[in-house]
Amino acid sequence: MTPPNRTPFVGRQQSLDTFERALDATMGGSFQFLNLVGEPGVGKTRLLEELAVAAQRRGLCTMSGRATEFEQELPFGVIIDALDDHLEAHSDQLSEDLGPAAVKLLAGVFPGLAHTLSDDHRPDANLSALERYRVHRAIRQLLDELAVPSGLVLLLDDLHWADDGSTELLDHLVRHPPFRPVLIAIAYRPAQAGPRLAAAVENAREHRHEIPVGPLTQAETREFLGTDVDRSYAGILYRASGGVPLFLEALARMGRDAPVARQRGGDTGHDVPSDLAALPAAVRRALQAELTGLSATALLVARAAAVTADEFEPALAAVAAEVPLTVALDALNEAVARDVVRPTAAGRFRFRHPLVRHAAYVSAPAGWRVAAHARVAERLAALGAPATWRAHHVERSGRFGDESAIATLVEAAREVAGRAPVSAGHWLEAALRLAPAGHCERLDLMLELATVRTTSGDAVAGREMARETLRLLAHDDHLRRARAARICALAERRLDRFREAHALIMNELRLMPDPKSEAAATLRLRLASESLLRSRFRAAQAELDLLPDDAPGWPPALSLAIAAMRPMAALAGRRIDAALDYIEIAEQRLDSAPDEHLAAWLEAVAWLSWTELMMGRYREAHRYFDRAITVGRATGQGFIAAMLLAGQARTLTVLGRLAEAAALAEQADEAPHMLGVQERVFVATQRCLVASWSGDDEAALRFGEQAVRAAADFDEWWSAFAHYSRGTALVNGGQVDEGVTELLVACPEIRRSRLDPAGMLSCCEMMVQIEAGRGNRVEARTWADRADRLAHPALVASAAHARLARAHLTRITDAAAAAAAAVEAAGLLEAAGMVIDMGRARMTAGLAYADAGDRDRAGTELQAAAEVFASCGARKLHAQAQREQRRIGARVPGRRGRAYGAGQTGLSKRELEVARLVVAGRTNQQIAELLFLSVRTVESHLSHIFAKLDVTSRVGIVHALTQRDADDL
């Protein structure tokens, strides 16, 4: 008996009911996630087919893709399989809808969009962790566009074979769901699922419906086999197959006597690969029998097709089989008739099941497979296919010492290193297997592999490869040894093994005869950077003191790096004037240097940016962080991503650009497997502060606790900042006593504090405000005096904070003088770019004027403060300013229209995101770039927002949302 091409569907009623509930929820506007879990052949794919039918019946756009066993290293393979044909067919419309920024990112992933870009807009080949988050957001935006108008169902099969990039993307999507109605359904084998896939499934949380898929019951087996099979024979098939539909189908194809005979007969005696070895012997023979029933030519083409791809084109299968295309097509007709392969869209074919492809592949002689892969690789090269398409075949056919094969694998690795570093590492390893011991590039490839492993999160593998490279490098090959030592030290730091990193570099330095050579300077800068990170400021200064500003033979980038590092060491030693002098020199060099010089020492540029930030030079900090992030994105330096993004998030928070700060802090947190303890603290502190000043107390406290917990075993400047951030969140959240406790840990007194100058001044100012509010004049004066001593005349920000602290103190005894001092502080804070603190100073002035009985000036200052907070998106501060206005009897704009019923805006999630950025002062172009939308789409969202909020301008949106926030609070 031969079952029909479409496998009979029986039972599974509970799964079907779950599908219906999930589809109902999707059509209701929510994100849904289904994961089907079961062993091979049990019916997961068939269930996905039923889900597709149900979705299409409801009018939902449905797309499906499948990960494949033999192409597991292809980046984003399963999502490309699902979407690429559609993208190619609708590329013009999607380019218009998505906007150029998103299309450029997506074109680096989807071949179907590559033709939409001109040569001037080609995507960067070596994207980094700085860009991977942007790629993920662009794909999320793509799913939103595909979900118009009715919704999208995305079916992803065999996810246990998915590449690392695909599972990382899936993890992003479940944690940051699309805004429009989208249902993602995945199927996988639990025993073969990697930890990242398991984590992504777990992160789906409240959106998730898990569907275990088990064997059929005996009654369902009889229904599956049909009435032509009598009860006794159905029982034999059930026992032989275990109720697994694929096995039932394969056994039934063999005929009535086959199962019993095969169970008695034992194995074939041939080696059986793992996927087949796990199956019952009778099932293995049944799958193999499907192939042996083909004619010799059809079997040859089936084997060639299995070599070619999971979904293959007949022309390429003909090349692999070395037969004319007409012969291949006739052979495929025979294979289709026997249901070995099935036709798909666009004239392509696919095997009925991955296990059938596996059986076809392993049935071919091993030597023939090598030659077939070589023929496919050669044909793809002649067609101009990218190296990533060819690498799979080259890896399986390349000869030892084959320069062309090595070059292809290296090219493919470099092309995907940022988007899919695990795939890049796989291909670099394959290139190394082909490179002889004396190959001219072997050691360089080892260094490249060590870098990819380390910066992608596999610090152990990166460290071991770097150590092996050091072992093989000649003792006098100082420059490459220095590079390998840097990579190894970075890996050790990722593993929180600081002593080992220091010892390694010191050992290499002892081997170098010239202490002022380029190699020695490279390692001393590495030591200085590690010392700064560990608050070993004297050690950092000592290393820098051993280095001249320049030396003969040094590359310009090295001199630039030294200049960029000196300011932080001086600042750490409280030598403010020296730090300012060094900053002036460093800025001159950086401003005139090309990007490639910054790329060589991006970590040094990051230290300069942090120095500007810690000295309260926020506009300068923003400029250098922005350039460093741009260079990092272009050069694939993911290891520095968290440090740069967190610093820029902190800068934007102070500048009052909270929506952008939140987006950057979230980006910094996107790859936790890549973060060492310091980076985790950096990220958590910035997310805490952004959330706190935005008015999200719950999130701020959660991130603050994460920061403090991560820093618990350390006594560094960044651990002090963790306590500062949590203290700020507690104070802003109304838990003042607990907040004071944390602030005192961060800044017990000036000499003992590890906080940076800007952080210490902020801490002092907050403590003055708290103690003055409690009426503790002595304590308030002590903190105000500390602020005065910390303030430096050349730093406007420090003088501004000290002046605001003095205003808090003076308000206890002389309200009018306090108001004047607060107005002066507001002017200084505005000059320094400290927008939120400027608003706080305005509010302090308003409160002081109210205390002094000057109602008009009080109302003016409080209104100015409210407008500042509204422009920033500082919800709680805005609400507080409006409450104070009402308290003194000042007029406050009331709620308008129907949009504010029950404190709701009526906006969708995407519309609310756009509206928040309008409140933050962003232009349509800036909103489009931040959210990966076209300007036209932003304008469309704004028209809907105007209608829902009953306003006619962007100013109306600002007033509407800030008033809504005030009412909610």
Side-chain angles (χ1 to χ4, degrees):
M1 185 207 85
T2 301
N5 282 357
R6 185 169 174 80
T7 306
F9 186 81
V10 299
R12 317 295 194 191
Q13 189 58 49
Q14 190 173 356
S15 299
L16 296 177
D17 292 342
T18 302
F19 289 171
E20 293 299 322
R21 290 194 298 271
L23 289 169
D24 287 342
T26 301
M27 297 188 71
S30 69
F31 172 72
Q32 297 291 297
F33 182 81
L34 299 172
N35 65 298
L36 284 67
V37 186
E39 297 306 317
V42 80
K44 302 183 294 298
T45 300
R46 188 69 178 84
L47 272 170
L48 288 179
E49 291 174 1
E50 290 299 311
L51 176 57
V53 170
Q56 290 163 355
R57 195 164 50 237
R58 293 166 177 257
L60 294 165
C61 176
T62 304
M63 299 183 185
S64 60
R66 188 165 84 186
T68 58
E69 176 186 8
F70 298 116
E71 293 86 15
Q72 296 181 45
E73 69 279 2
L74 291 175
F76 298 101
V78 66
I79 198 77
I80 291 172
D81 187 46
L83 304 182
D84 198 56
D85 286 345
H86 180 87
L87 299 187
E88 186 171 13
H90 300 84
S91 58
D92 292 340
Q93 182 61 47
L94 285 168
S95 297
E96 184 178 350
D97 293 340
L98 294 168
V103 170
K104 180 179 179 180
L105 289 166
L106 292 171
V109 175
F110 296 100
L113 289 178
H115 71 280
T116 62
L117 299 179
S118 66
D119 289 338
D120 293 337
H121 294 88
R122 292 292 169 191
D124 300 320
N126 192 17
L127 299 176
S128 72
L130 288 163
E131 285 292 81
R132 293 221 296 279
Y133 176 81
R134 288 161 55 84
V135 170
H136 295 164
R137 285 197 63 155
I139 293 176
R140 184 181 70 175
Q141 181 202 347
L142 171 63
L143 297 183
D144 273 330
E145 292 295 336
L146 295 176
V148 175
S150 58
L152 171 69
V153 174
L154 181 62
L155 310 175
L156 304 176
D157 202 0
D158 289 330
L159 262 288
H160 50 278
W161 284 325
D163 63 282
D164 199 70
S166 294
T167 52
E168 187 177 62
L169 169 65
L170 182 67
D171 185 53
H172 174 86
L173 291 174
V174 299
R175 289 184 293 108
H176 308 281
F179 292 94
R180 291 197 171 107
V182 173
L183 183 152
I184 297 177
I186 68 170
Y188 61 93
R189 305 174 191 172
Q192 294 176 245
R196 185 164 293 181
L197 176 58
V201 171
E202 183 61 30
N203 286 335
R205 295 187 181 93
E206 69 271 14
H207 306 293
R208 176 164 62 103
H209 306 269
E210 181 163 330
I211 301 176
V213 185
L216 301 177
T217 65
Q218 190 161 0
E220 290 168 341
T221 297
R222 288 198 296 273
E223 184 181 353
F224 179 89
L225 293 171
T227 56
D228 292 342
V229 179
D230 61 62
R231 180 181 292 269
S232 63
Y233 184 44
I236 293 172
L237 291 177
Y238 174 74
R239 289 189 293 275
S241 68
V244 175
L246 176 71
F247 304 167
L248 278 168
E249 187 178 17
L251 291 169
R253 290 170 187 270
M254 293 183 66
R256 183 177 183 88
D257 298 327
V260 175
R262 291 297 179 255
Q263 290 201 72
R264 291 181 186 139
D267 213 334
T268 62
H270 298 300
D271 291 335
V272 181
S274 58
D275 264 27
L276 295 181
L279 305 182
V283 174
R284 287 203 306 272
R285 294 177 183 277
L287 290 173
Q288 292 160 354
E290 290 192 45
L291 301 173
T292 57
L294 296 170
S295 68
T297 302
L299 178 60
L300 172 65
V301 172
R303 288 168 169 171
V307 164
T308 302
D310 184 62
E311 185 172 331
F312 60 91
E313 294 183 352
L316 207 54
V319 169
E322 295 184 289
V323 299
L325 178 59
T326 55
V327 173
L329 290 172
D330 288 340
L332 287 173
N333 287 336
E334 181 182 340
V336 169
R338 295 186 63 84
D339 200 24
V340 173
V341 301
R342 294 173 178 176
T344 64
R348 294 192 291 267
F349 294 81
R350 181 172 249 163
F351 283 88
R352 185 181 85 252
H353 191 278
L355 284 176
V356 178
R357 181 193 180 192
H358 187 109
Y361 186 87
V362 301
S363 72
W368 181 90
R369 289 201 304 264
V370 170
H373 278 294
R375 289 190 289 272
V376 173
E378 184 178 353
R379 179 59 176 163
L380 289 173
L383 293 172
T388 51
W389 293 17
R390 294 179 278 128
H392 159 69
H393 299 288
V394 169
E395 177 187 353
R396 287 158 176 79
S397 62
R399 300 181 306 277
F400 188 67
D402 184 342
E403 293 291 345
S404 176
I406 294 170
T408 298
L409 292 166
V410 172
E411 182 184 350
R414 290 172 181 168
E415 186 174 332
V416 304
R419 295 189 298 273
V422 173
S423 295
H426 174 88
W427 282 327
L428 285 172
E429 285 182 342
L432 282 170
R433 287 195 296 271
L434 298 181
H439 190 276
C440 61
E441 295 185 8
R442 182 175 178 81
L443 290 172
D444 290 327
L445 290 178
M446 292 176 69
L447 280 172
E448 192 169 347
L449 178 57
T451 303
V452 167
R453 290 295 190 222
T454 300
T455 58
S456 68
D458 192 350
V460 172
R463 177 190 64 188
E464 295 310 310
M465 180 56 65
R467 285 190 178 277
E468 176 65 11
T469 308
L470 279 170
R471 187 183 69 79
L472 295 175
L473 283 167
H475 288 297
D476 59 353
D477 192 349
H478 299 304
L479 277 176
R480 285 201 292 187
R481 290 190 69 86
R483 182 184 168 198
R486 281 182 66 192
I487 296 169
C488 194
L490 178 63
E492 296 285 17
R493 180 159 68 81
R494 284 279 180 272
L495 298 168
D496 300 329
R497 290 160 52 93
F498 307 105
R499 292 178 181 174
E500 288 81 356
H502 184 271
L504 174 73
I505 294 177
M506 290 300 297
N507 185 60
E508 286 300 315
L509 277 170
R510 282 191 285 269
L511 296 175
M512 294 181 180
D514 183 0
K516 294 184 180 180
S517 66
E518 178 186 346
T522 295
L523 292 181
R524 292 210 177 277
L525 277 179
R526 177 73 252 164
L527 282 178
S529 181
E530 290 294 331
S531 296
L532 288 174
L533 203 57
R534 298 297 313 283
S535 299
R536 310 297 193 258
F537 302 127
R538 291 183 180 178
Q541 186 65 66
E543 296 296 340
L544 291 169
D545 287 343
L546 292 172
L547 295 173
D549 292 333
D550 203 351
W554 279 10
L558 185 56
S559 302
L560 175 69
I562 293 171
M565 292 282 287
R566 292 198 191 280
M568 178 59 84
L571 176 65
R574 314 288 190 195
R575 297 182 292 120
I576 304 298
D577 290 327
L580 286 168
D581 290 341
Y582 285 134
I583 279 178
E584 184 177 355
I585 296 170
E587 287 181 346
Q588 290 174 357
R589 294 197 175 188
L590 258 70
D591 290 344
S592 61
D595 285 350
E596 54 263 32
H597 291 177
L598 273 68
W601 278 98
L602 203 58
E603 193 170 8
V605 182
W607 280 118
L608 176 64
S609 306
W610 273 92
T611 306
E612 302 271 24
L613 170 60
M614 292 176 172
M615 295 181 74
R617 295 162 55 91
Y618 298 107
R619 292 190 179 93
E620 293 84 353
H622 176 260
R623 184 159 59 96
Y624 290 116
F625 275 126
D626 189 57
R627 189 176 177 195
I629 290 169
T630 300
V631 172
R633 283 174 174 158
T635 56
Q637 300 191 55
F639 73 94
I640 199 69
M643 188 176 185
L644 291 172
L645 292 170
Q648 185 71 304
R650 171 66 179 147
T651 304
L652 291 172
T653 299
V654 177
L655 293 174
R657 295 160 63 173
L658 291 174
E660 293 170 75
L664 285 179
E666 187 177 342
Q667 288 183 41
D669 205 12
E670 272 302 292
H673 61 284
M674 290 182 58
L675 306 183
V677 63
Q678 304 98 329
E679 289 90 346
R680 290 196 298 273
V681 175
F682 283 159
V683 172
T685 54
Q686 302 321 315
R687 298 200 75 176
C688 170
L689 290 170
V690 172
S692 181
W693 291 118
S694 298
D696 189 347
D697 295 329
E698 182 180 352
L701 291 175
R702 183 173 70 252
F703 291 128
E705 288 164 5
Q706 286 179 12
V708 170
R709 187 164 56 249
D713 296 330
F714 299 89
D715 187 23
E716 323 293 356
W717 63 268
W718 38 269
S719 59
F721 203 72
H723 290 282
Y724 164 81
S725 68
R726 183 168 186 265
T728 300
L730 287 165
V731 170
N732 288 347
Q735 302 178 53
V736 177
D737 291 341
E738 292 181 55
V740 166
T741 299
E742 287 285 12
L743 292 175
L744 289 176
V745 173
C747 191
E749 59 183 64
I750 293 176
R751 292 183 180 276
R752 292 174 53 208
S753 176
R754 290 190 179 274
L755 277 180
D756 59 274
M760 285 192 289
L761 272 162
S762 176
C763 190
C764 289
E765 182 261 312
M766 275 195 291
M767 289 300 300
V768 175
Q769 184 178 27
I770 292 167
E771 297 299 349
R774 291 170 165 174
N776 296 334
R777 188 181 307 177
V778 174
E779 286 295 322
R781 185 180 301 278
T782 299
W783 286 101
D785 290 343
R786 290 179 182 175
D788 286 339
R789 291 197 300 274
L790 285 167
H792 191 280
L795 299 176
V796 176
S798 67
H801 256 142
R803 195 62 181 145
L804 181 55
R806 190 59 60 177
H808 295 318
L809 174 65
T810 307
R811 189 180 163 199
I812 299 175
T813 56
D814 189 342
V823 169
E824 181 186 354
L828 293 171
L829 289 162
E830 185 174 16
M834 303 172 68
V835 177
I836 291 179
D837 284 329
M838 184 262 284
R840 293 176 57 243
R842 291 285 187 192
M843 186 155 62
T844 299
L847 295 174
Y849 277 130
D851 292 344
D854 191 339
R855 181 178 174 278
D856 290 340
R857 287 188 179 180
T860 299
E861 293 298 327
L862 289 172
Q863 177 60 31
E867 290 173 357
V868 168
F869 298 140
S871 70
C872 297
R875 299 189 305 144
K876 287 190 69 173
L877 287 172
H878 177 263
Q880 182 184 350
Q882 290 202 322
R883 283 198 300 271
E884 295 298 340
Q885 286 179 277
R886 294 188 184 98
R887 186 177 64 83
I888 64 171
R891 183 177 177 276
V892 178
R895 290 182 292 178
R896 302 181 50 188
R898 56 185 168 76
Y900 307 111
Q904 299 297 315
T905 63
L907 304 180
S908 70
K909 288 189 292 184
R910 176 63 92 183
E911 290 164 352
L912 186 57
E913 191 173 26
V914 171
R916 287 285 185 213
L917 288 169
V918 170
V919 171
R922 305 286 77 81
T923 66
N924 287 4
Q925 182 65 45
Q926 290 169 330
I927 294 171
E929 291 173 358
L930 282 166
L931 301 182
F932 295 99
L933 302 174
S934 65
V935 174
R936 191 193 67 177
T937 302
V938 172
E939 291 169 349
S940 175
H941 284 311
L942 284 174
S943 67
H944 296 153
I945 293 167
F946 288 156
K948 290 182 178 181
L949 297 184
D950 192 22
V951 299
T952 58
S953 68
R954 294 167 68 92
V955 173
I957 293 175
V958 172
H959 285 264
L961 282 210
T962 49
Q963 183 59 51
R964 194 284 306 233
D965 290 338
D967 292 334
D968 285 351
L969 291 168

